[in-house]
Amino acid sequence: MTINRRSFLLTAGALALPLSAFADPAEFSYKYANNLPATHPMNVRANEMADAIRADSKGRVDIQVFPNNQLGSDTDMLSQVRSGGVEFFTLSGLILSTLVPAASISGIGFAFADYDAVWKAMDGELGGYIRSEITKANLVVMDRIWDNGFRQITTSSHPIVVPADLKGMKLRVPVSPLWTSMFKALDASPTSINFSEVYSALQTKVVEGQENPLAVISTAKLYEVQKYCSLTNHMWDGFWFLGNKAAWERLPPDLRTIVARHINDAGLKERADVAALNASLKTDLLSKGLAFNQPQTAPFRDHLRAANFYADWKSKYGEKAWGLLEAVSGKLA
Ligand code: X2X
């Protein structure tokens, strides 16, 4: 068989048609960015979610997941989701409070006794109130908040057994007035640092300690640069799944329904994964060299109360929001 230039082009052209049709970029090609390692359940479930959205939208919506601060720190990503530089972003309500003050209320120290209380509040009226405040700030927010978990304190210097152990401690906290206020009320010396800088800040001993749920301590390998883990359970934290408003409104209603359903479903699966991990990781982290202790929480709570922490924040959030919190937490202030 002889292949001349003409027959080659014809063959290539015939092949190229179906191939290029298959490789057509999706009608809606969106980015979802977050601050957690690719191995954290947030990203595992987000990748499944993106596959399910591609399948159910018949390829019309393609969401690319960017884990691990690949697109910048939380502070950067928050401005990107507002400007449309990224279409989706998950952020702790406490950090979001720099834009939406009410959003940090779910992180008030020792407010939730357990996950039942958390989901009752966050899938109930308190969560509804926070979402309406987020919407007023011109961001889209999905119904189901994703879990970060109950937070524990790690240090390189000594375990935290009683509140006095925090005195003067250089502790990294996320960028959020509530976090700074809470650890100041506990007499520590908190420094606001984005998560993207935490590992190196601990490694270079810019700070002695930090606080995070076990699933983060494990997947971000913070145990490599910390010695002690004190199971203080001092607050619960979750991630609101945020969307850029203009990008969301570009999606026709049928696609919005598909996307929202899969995001919320993935969030529920992520919650189950994180709860299971936070319950089981202690053994694993022990074997990696972290020393654990379980302090009593009442003295920490009493210390916060004596420092007027609860009363101060009640007056900032106002009666309405505080009432919704206390409906689940019981009396705090
Ligand atoms: O920054 C943190 O510590 C983290 C990962 O828990 C949050 O995103 C709030």
Side-chain angles (χ1 to χ4, degrees):
M1 177 173 124
T2 54
I3 299 175
N4 60 27
R5 190 178 144 79
R6 189 179 134 78
S7 73
F8 174 81
L9 284 179
L10 276 175
T11 313
L15 274 175
L17 241 184
L19 272 180
S20 73
F22 183 76
D24 244 1
E27 207 175 325
F28 302 97
S29 201
Y30 283 4
K31 296 195 263 299
Y32 159 47
N34 66 69
N35 67 357
L36 290 184
T39 49
H40 188 281
M42 168 185 279
N43 284 305
V44 176
R45 293 302 184 181
N47 283 314
E48 288 175 9
M49 167 197 95
D51 289 343
I53 290 171
R54 271 188 290 273
D56 265 10
S57 70
K58 314 236 176 335
R60 293 177 70 195
V61 183
D62 177 38
I63 298 178
Q64 294 293 326
V65 181
F66 293 87
N68 215 15
N69 296 111
Q70 277 173 17
L71 300 187
S73 70
D74 277 334
T75 306
D76 300 329
M77 291 187 284
L78 178 58
S79 40
Q80 289 174 45
V81 78
R82 295 177 73 194
S83 69
V86 301
E87 287 80 10
F88 295 111
F89 170 44
T90 35
L91 183 64
S92 162
L94 279 81
I95 302 176
L96 181 57
S97 76
T98 55
L99 177 68
V100 181
S104 63
I105 193 167
S106 51
I108 285 288
F110 305 101
F112 300 123
D114 51 28
Y115 272 122
D116 285 347
V118 168
W119 306 131
K120 190 173 165 207
M122 302 314 284
D123 290 336
E125 283 190 62
L126 184 68
Y129 169 77
I130 297 170
R131 288 197 302 280
S132 70
E133 293 294 304
I134 297 173
T135 307
K136 283 185 204 159
N138 251 345
L139 283 168
V140 170
V141 57
M142 297 296 137
D143 286 346
R144 304 295 191 157
I145 191 168
W146 292 39
D147 190 24
N148 191 356
F150 285 90
R151 299 179 76 97
Q152 324 296 352
I153 301 175
T154 66
T155 83
S156 55
S157 51
H158 57 264
I160 307 302
V161 180
V162 291
D165 295 321
L166 280 168
K167 203 171 167 62
M169 178 176 278
K170 280 181 99 176
L171 196 72
R172 174 271 173 171
V173 293
V175 182
S176 162
L178 177 62
W179 250 303
T180 306
S181 149
M182 181 160 147
F183 282 94
K184 277 194 175 150
L186 290 166
D187 300 323
S189 177
T191 312
S192 303
I193 299 178
N194 272 303
F195 191 68
S196 47
E197 309 289 332
V198 168
Y199 186 97
S200 67
L202 294 168
Q203 191 174 37
T204 57
K205 302 239 161 63
V206 168
V207 288
E208 278 169 81
Q210 66 84 45
E211 43 81 62
N212 250 301
L214 296 187
V216 173
I217 294 167
S218 168
T219 54
K221 300 191 192 304
L222 302 185
Y223 55 83
E224 293 177 349
V225 286
Q226 297 280 269
K227 253 180 117 69
Y228 302 96
C229 182
S230 303
L231 298 170
T232 47
N233 286 303
H234 54 273
M235 73 213 289
W236 174 79
D237 185 36
F239 296 102
W240 288 112
F241 206 108
L242 305 172
N244 172 268
K245 196 167 175 216
W248 183 250
E249 288 175 353
R250 274 200 301 279
L251 296 175
D254 60 322
L255 293 183
R256 274 185 229 164
T257 304
I258 290 172
V259 171
R261 187 181 73 234
H262 284 298
I263 294 176
N264 288 323
D265 283 356
L268 295 184
K269 290 178 190 153
E270 187 264 2
R271 289 181 186 181
D273 295 343
V274 171
L277 270 184
N278 285 336
S280 69
L281 273 174
K282 186 177 159 187
T283 321
D284 180 57
L285 290 167
L286 266 172
S287 76
K288 296 194 157 102
L290 264 193
F292 279 84
N293 72 295
Q294 177 96 55
Q296 289 184 346
T297 53
F300 291 87
R301 210 171 160 155
D302 293 346
H303 195 103
L304 287 176
R305 196 169 286 124
N308 272 332
F309 172 77
Y310 295 106
D312 287 350
W313 283 92
K314 178 182 177 177
S315 72
K316 288 192 184 118
Y317 294 123
E319 292 288 341
K320 180 182 172 192
W322 197 261
L324 295 175
L325 177 65
E326 284 193 336
V328 174
S329 67
K331 197 108 192 94
L332 292 165

